[in-house]
Amino acid sequence: MTDAKAASPRQRGGSPQASSHTLLEGRLGYQVESALLVRALTHRSYAYENGGLPTNERLEFLGDSVLGLVVTDTLYRTHPDLPEGQLAKLRAAVVNSRALAEVGRGLDLGAFIRLGRGEEGTGGRDKASILADTLEAVIGAVYLDQGLDAASELVHRLFDPLIEKSSNLGAGLDWKTSLQELTAIEGLGVPEYLVTETGPDHEKTFTAAARVGGVSYGTGTGRSKKEAEQQAAESAWRSIRAAADERAKAAEEAAEEPVRETADEAGKPAGEPVRETADAAVNATEESVKDTDPSSATA
């Protein structure tokens, strides 16, 4: 196992596979031993259709552990006051098939996977489960070839934005859970999801609308019903949260207004009321003297 090092991808001749792997290595930022990378990209459907080749499942198992360790260590150090249960929920918000698939799509990982004809024909290159498993296998391959430091750096580069985003989920395991908790706090009721689908069976697109109390607060689309519902829940959560924050801000400003008026009154010079009272008393005294002075009456 070698020390971690980020280097320019090495060339392996002019074959299409070599060029493809070089492109992927460039996106990863690491060179990976050729046979190891090929195995990481070999889905079981391809292996079974080609005489029982080794699959990426063992590397997936290893990469899952490496990913879990790095993410758990990061959450533990970043949130020193959170209890175990909350840390577990934040980790689950990062290490799940949907999140891994989105990272894989960002790398265009689907274009490099070796798939069987059956999976190829049913849109396997964009299936969340296949993308997630392959990404874990690639992480496992980087770990074996480059070491834990390199694998850790790769995980941080790919997943730190998700780790930061997970903090916005509050106590929720995912956006649907977070939305349900928020609507309960706001007294809005239980969310429901209306899902429609379009496209052929092998390439369906799902659209979900998150409704609470008969009102639609957000929509989302995805390759699966679950993914569409999660996006709709996130959109609705942000909409309801923004409205709640606006109400809280308005209430705070309204509460501050009487305080400002009292402060303005208190800011008047203290001598003014005293002088007004004293002047009135002097005037009253002078009038009284005039009324009782005999000379003024004679005049």
Side-chain angles (χ1 to χ4, degrees):
M1 190 177 295
T2 61
D3 294 334
K5 59 180 179 180
S8 60
R10 58 173 171 264
Q11 299 293 329
R12 299 194 183 92
S15 70
Q17 179 173 294
S19 298
S20 173
H21 291 174
T22 298
L23 178 60
L24 178 58
E25 286 176 322
R27 293 173 183 174
L28 294 173
Y30 289 98
Q31 300 177 68
V32 181
E33 195 274 324
S34 181
L36 197 58
L37 184 58
V38 168
R39 180 176 296 190
L41 297 171
T42 302
H43 187 257
R44 62 177 177 269
S45 63
Y46 182 92
Y48 296 159
E49 290 181 11
N50 289 273
L53 297 174
T55 73
N56 63 4
E57 291 175 354
R58 282 171 53 84
L59 285 172
E60 173 201 335
F61 171 77
L62 180 61
D64 175 69
S65 296
V66 173
L67 174 62
L69 171 63
V70 175
V71 171
T72 301
D73 177 76
T74 302
L75 291 172
Y76 183 87
R77 297 176 188 278
T78 305
H79 304 283
D81 299 325
L82 287 185
E84 179 268 343
Q86 182 66 11
L87 289 173
K89 289 182 177 182
L90 291 179
R91 180 178 60 191
V94 176
V95 185
N96 62 73
S97 291
R98 176 175 172 265
L100 267 66
E102 285 303 311
V103 173
R105 290 186 184 106
L107 295 169
D108 195 21
L109 187 60
F112 304 99
I113 301 175
R114 302 209 295 175
L115 288 176
R117 289 185 298 273
E119 283 292 353
E120 186 80 62
T122 56
R125 293 192 183 279
D126 196 50
K127 283 185 180 178
S129 59
I130 293 177
L131 287 170
D133 293 346
T134 305
L135 180 60
E136 288 180 332
V138 169
I139 292 171
V142 172
Y143 167 74
L144 285 180
D145 192 59
Q146 296 286 334
L148 181 58
D149 287 346
S152 177
E153 191 279 334
L154 176 63
V155 170
H156 278 296
R157 180 153 44 83
L158 296 178
F159 287 89
D160 275 358
L162 280 176
I163 293 173
E164 183 177 354
K165 184 180 179 181
S166 71
S167 299
N168 294 327
L169 292 177
L173 176 63
D174 53 31
W175 286 113
K176 290 180 69 175
T177 303
S178 294
L179 177 60
Q180 186 167 340
E181 291 175 347
L182 180 61
T183 56
I185 292 172
E186 296 295 320
L188 298 176
V190 179
E192 60 179 355
Y193 299 88
L194 303 180
V195 182
T196 58
E197 58 185 66
T198 58
D201 289 342
H202 67 279
E203 198 173 352
K204 284 188 179 297
T205 298
F206 294 84
T207 301
R211 296 171 61 87
V212 185
V215 179
S216 180
Y217 286 94
T219 60
T221 59
R223 293 293 186 180
S224 68
K225 178 181 176 182
K226 182 178 180 180
E227 183 179 357
E229 289 179 346
Q230 286 287 343
Q231 290 191 13
E234 178 181 357
S235 177
W237 186 91
R238 295 188 183 282
S239 176
I240 294 172
R241 183 60 181 268
D245 289 344
E246 283 296 321
R247 289 195 300 271
K249 182 179 179 181
E252 183 179 345
E253 291 176 349
E256 290 177 352
E257 199 61 37
V259 176
R260 291 196 196 99
E261 292 177 359
T262 303
D264 292 341
E265 290 294 328
K268 288 183 178 180
E272 286 185 2
V274 176
R275 283 197 296 272
E276 291 174 359
T277 304
D279 291 343
V282 170
N283 291 337
T285 302
E286 290 177 349
E287 291 297 327
S288 175
V289 171
K290 289 179 181 178
D291 292 341
T292 58
D293 187 356
S295 60
S296 63
T298 305

